[in-house]
Amino acid sequence: MRSRILLLVAGVVASLLVIVPAASAADAPPEIPLSIDKSQFQPSEVKVKANAPFVLVITNKGAKAAEFESKDLRVEKVVPAGKTVNVRIRALKPGTYAFIDDFNHQATGRIVAE
Ligand SMILES: [Cu+2]
């Protein structure tokens, strides 16, 4: 009897171990890399899935601070020189969303949600 209970407990624990990581991996929004280098965004066009949140992982490879800014997305985030910041973006309807480096308006780009 005792060993049956132990087996049952072991079975429950094993199934939790399988289910929990799978669920959290599915729930984690995808990370989309974006870098700022030589006064340009790389890439300048980012394609994402519409209607699903995501995280922009923005790395500033330049020597000056940058500010990722998008009026379309209502996001503004300083990215210090040599640093990486994560910016969570809400689920977007299909469309094109422009962004710029507000400290250097030559650097522009867009997110295309489809
Ligand atoms: Cu700004």
Side-chain angles (χ1 to χ4, degrees):
M1 189 62 190
R2 189 168 192 166
S3 64
R4 276 186 74 173
I5 290 169
L6 279 176
L7 263 178
L8 196 73
V9 169
V12 168
V13 169
S15 60
L16 283 176
L17 287 177
V18 171
I19 291 164
V20 171
S24 59
D27 291 343
E31 294 190 347
I32 313 246
L34 183 63
S35 61
I36 304 161
D37 195 14
K38 299 184 179 75
S39 304
Q40 297 296 321
F41 282 105
Q42 196 57 245
S44 58
E45 184 175 288
V46 177
K47 286 199 173 154
V48 300
K49 268 192 179 171
N51 307 310
F54 59 96
V55 177
L56 280 177
V57 179
I58 309 172
T59 300
N60 182 357
K61 296 180 175 174
K64 289 181 191 167
E67 186 183 52
F68 177 87
E69 180 163 332
S70 172
K71 289 194 167 75
D72 293 346
L73 299 168
R74 280 180 245 117
V75 169
E76 199 173 18
K77 183 88 181 177
V78 172
V79 189
K83 301 285 185 198
T84 297
V85 303
N86 287 9
V87 180
R88 292 181 71 95
I89 309 289
R90 66 194 151 83
L92 301 176
K93 289 180 183 157
T96 298
Y97 303 82
F99 58 81
I100 59 166
D101 173 358
D102 201 26
F103 294 167
N104 166 31
H105 287 191
Q106 281 175 301
T108 63
R110 58 202 196 139
I111 292 167
V112 179
E114 53 190 21

